[in-house]
Amino acid sequence: GVGATYDRNRDVLWLLADARINVAPDATGGGTVDASASKAGLARADNFIKLEGTARISTDARTAEADVITAYLDEKGEKIQLMELREHSRITGTGAGAQVMTARHIDMSYAPDGRTLQSSKLMESAVVEFPGGAGSPPRRIAAATIDSTMSPDGATVTNLTALEKVQVDLPAEGEIPARRIRSAS
């Protein structure tokens, strides 16, 4: 970054402009992280990292973007346990799980490995898009809030609750026409 402050008593480092954080891959070749923001802080004693201003975190399988991202780490300060995205939040990913999640705010909790998503909560103008069939548009759920729980491998949604002004859009599949479902929950 450009410019920094360090509070020795609290063990807090702030990169004041053009912050960039890179985490090298682990012994298995996974776990790379590329993070950037206008500024970034690391509170080692409190085990969290905060990215402010056009914050972006890219990992092996997904990219998180928001105005502010706070990642709470395990007791050793090595693995993410909870991530909070605030304002203009967006997650994009690859694989069989959710491809796109957007909302004003998003909270995500992770398994002890720090990589496997266990649950997510999307608050205010929430949208989740799941991949459609080959060549089909995505399946889309929109609501005021969406809570989801994942399977132990983090790849499959096992429970999803959408509340207030819910709309589910299902694309056409073969001879089945496209459908739109609206409900309070």
Side-chain angles (χ1 to χ4, degrees), residues 70-81:
T70 305
Y72 296 93
L73 308 173
D74 64 5
E75 293 175 5
K76 293 181 180 180
E78 297 174 351
K79 299 175 183 172
I80 296 173
Q81 298 302 293

Side-chain angles (χ1 to χ4, degrees), residues 143 161-166 181-185:
T161 303
L163 300 172
E164 297 182 45
K165 300 178 185 174
V166 178
I181 303 164
R182 292 187 175 125
S183 178
S185 63

Side-chain angles (χ1 to χ4, degrees), residues 14-162:
W14 273 98
L15 301 175
L16 302 176
D18 301 324
R20 183 107 190 212
I21 301 168
N22 294 299
V23 177
D26 61 18
T28 66
T32 59
V33 177
D34 181 23
S36 62
S38 297
K39 62 182 182 175
L42 168 62
R44 292 186 67 98
D46 295 325
N47 292 319
F48 74 87
I49 297 171
K50 184 171 233 163
L51 304 168
E52 296 181 350
T54 317
R56 178 185 176 99
I57 298 177
S58 295
T59 64
D60 301 331
R62 68 181 56 93
T63 299
E65 300 170 293
D67 292 354
V68 177
I69 299 175
T70 305
Y72 296 93
L73 308 173
D74 64 5
E75 293 175 5
K76 293 181 180 180
E78 297 174 351
K79 299 175 183 172
I80 296 173
Q81 298 302 293
L82 175 69
M83 192 172 340
E84 296 176 344
L85 286 72
R86 297 295 178 255
E87 303 297 334
H88 306 102
S89 304
R90 179 178 181 84
I91 309 282
T92 54
T94 59
Q99 293 295 299
V100 178
M101 295 189 291
T102 61
R104 182 174 181 195
H105 306 301
I106 299 174
D107 290 347
M108 297 182 299
S109 66
Y110 291 86
D113 67 4
R115 295 183 197 165
T116 306
L117 184 63
Q118 288 185 321
S119 66
S120 64
K121 180 173 183 123
L122 288 72
M123 300 157 280
E124 297 185 42
S125 302
V127 174
V128 176
E129 290 183 359
F130 297 95
S136 297
R139 296 173 286 153
R140 183 177 188 272
I141 301 169
T145 62
I146 299 174
D147 288 317
S148 61
T149 305
M150 306 298 288
S151 63
D153 66 2
T156 304
V157 174
T158 58
N159 186 41
L160 186 140
T161 303

